[in-house]
Amino acid sequence: MYCKKCGYLITTGRFCPKCGTENVLIAPNQKPKNVQYTNEVSSFQESQTQGTSTPEDVSSISTKRNCSKKKSKKATISAVVLMVIVGAVTRVLIQDIPDIAPKEAVKLCIEAFDEQNGSKVLDCLPEDIVKDIENMYSISEGELEEDIELYLTYLEIESASMQNIDVSNCKVDTVINELEAYEDDAYVVWSEFDLNDISKAKLVSADYIIGNETYDFDYAYKYDGNWYSEGAATLAVCSAYYTENETEKG
C-alpha cells in the first residue's frame, strides 16, 4: 500500500518507513487522494524507482519535454529573426542620415590621394566624368590612372589625412560653378557628365594635409544617386592636363 501522507510504497507493516505515518490498507493500484505531487517529473522518477511507471506516465512526460524543446527552438528562431530585422533597420537609418555619405565620399578621396592610387581616385568619380576626361585627352582609363599617379608624385604628396570633420549644407550651384570652371578653362568638355543632374551638395569642412599644404574643406555632391568628392574631379582633370602639357614640352 501507499502512505497516505507522502505516497511512499509500504511493502510491510502499517507504518511508513519513510515518514513514520500509520496507514490503513489501501488497494495496491490506488493512491491516496490527499497526496499532492508538485512536480510531475519527480513523480515519474519516483515511480520508476518503485517499478510502477505506466506507459501513460512515460508518454505524458515525453510529450511535455518535446513541447519544451519546440518552444526553445521557436524562441531561438525568433531571436535570430529579430536580430536580422534590427540590423536591416539600422542600415536603413544610417543611409538616411544626410551627413554620413558626403563625409565618406571625401574621406575615400583623401585616402586615395594618400595611397597615390589612380584606380581608387577614379572610384571617387562618376563614370560620366571619367568618360569625358578620356574623350577630351584621347586616353584610356588605364592611362588616366597613370596620369593621376604621376601628378600625385609631382605634388610631392607624402601623406594625406583628415581631422575635425564637419558637414554643412551648401548650394548645388556652388559645386556646379566649380566644375564649370574646368570647361571654361578648356581643361575638359562636359558632355557625358550632366551638371544639371547634381541633385545635392555639401560642404565638408576638415583639416586635411596633402604634402606640405593644409586644406580646410572639400565639396561633396550627389550625382545619379551616389555621393562624390569634387576634389577627386579636380585632381583627375588636372592630371590629364598636366601629363599632356608635359609630354608636349618633352
Side-chain angles (χ1 to χ4, degrees):
M1 64 181 172
Y2 291 92
C3 176
K4 64 182 180 181
K5 183 176 182 181
C6 67
Y8 189 84
L9 180 62
I10 302 172
T11 56
T12 58
R14 298 182 309 185
F15 294 92
C16 175
K18 185 174 182 180
C19 66
T21 304
E22 184 178 8
N23 290 266
V24 294
L25 184 62
I26 303 175
N29 292 327
Q30 182 182 354
K31 292 182 179 180
K33 292 182 180 180
N34 61 340
V35 176
Q36 299 294 325
Y37 286 86
T38 57
N39 190 314
E40 293 189 44
V41 175
S42 63
S43 173
F44 167 67
Q45 291 173 339
E46 182 181 344
S47 64
Q48 279 190 315
T49 60
Q50 300 299 327
T52 58
S53 61
T54 64
E56 289 79 7
D57 294 330
V58 176
S59 176
S60 174
I61 298 300
S62 177
T63 300
K64 291 189 177 184
R65 285 178 178 172
N66 289 336
C67 288
S68 177
K69 288 180 181 179
K70 289 179 180 178
K71 288 180 181 178
S72 177
K73 289 181 180 179
K74 287 181 179 179
T76 302
I77 293 172
S78 298
V80 172
V81 171
L82 180 60
M83 290 173 64
V84 171
I85 293 173
V86 170
V89 171
T90 301
R91 286 193 294 272
V92 171
L93 290 175
I94 290 175
Q95 290 173 356
D96 287 342
I97 297 175
D99 292 347
I100 295 294
K103 188 185 296 184
E104 284 299 311
V106 173
K107 184 178 178 182
L108 289 174
C109 174
I110 302 304
E111 288 176 352
F113 289 177
D114 184 35
E115 296 176 22
Q116 299 189 21
N117 189 311
S119 177
K120 288 188 176 181
V121 171
L122 293 187
D123 288 341
C124 300
L125 294 171
E127 193 173 320
D128 291 344
I129 282 185
V130 177
K131 288 179 180 178
D132 282 341
I133 297 174
E134 291 172 357
N135 292 335
M136 179 74 181
Y137 293 93
S138 301
I139 55 178
S140 66
E141 184 171 322
E143 289 172 326
L144 179 55
E145 290 177 7
E146 291 177 0
D147 290 350
I148 291 171
E149 291 173 4
L150 179 65
Y151 190 62
L152 288 170
T153 303
Y154 164 75
L155 293 176
E156 297 181 351
I157 294 180
E158 297 179 358
S159 65
S161 60
M162 295 181 67
Q163 298 175 346
N164 305 320
I165 306 173
D166 190 22
V167 180
S168 58
N169 293 323
C170 75
K171 294 181 179 179
V172 171
D173 288 344
T174 303
V175 177
I176 291 178
N177 291 336
E178 290 287 328
L179 294 171
E180 278 182 337
Y182 299 114
E183 196 166 33
D184 295 338
D185 294 334
Y187 294 147
V188 69
V189 176
W190 301 126
S191 56
E192 295 287 339
F193 180 62
D194 189 348
L195 293 169
N196 293 320
D197 283 346
I198 296 177
S199 59
K200 292 182 180 180
K202 294 283 185 179
L203 176 66
V204 181
S205 300
D207 298 327
Y208 63 95
I209 303 169
I210 298 181
N212 295 322
E213 298 292 330
T214 301
Y215 301 84
D216 57 8
F217 76 92
D218 190 7
Y219 292 111
Y221 61 94
K222 193 173 186 179
Y223 181 83
D224 197 23
N226 296 310
W227 284 90
Y228 300 97
S229 163
E230 189 269 330
T234 300
L235 184 82
V237 172
C238 291
S239 298
Y241 179 80
Y242 169 80
T243 303
E244 182 180 73
N245 280 270
E246 286 298 307
T247 302
E248 289 177 355
K249 289 178 182 179

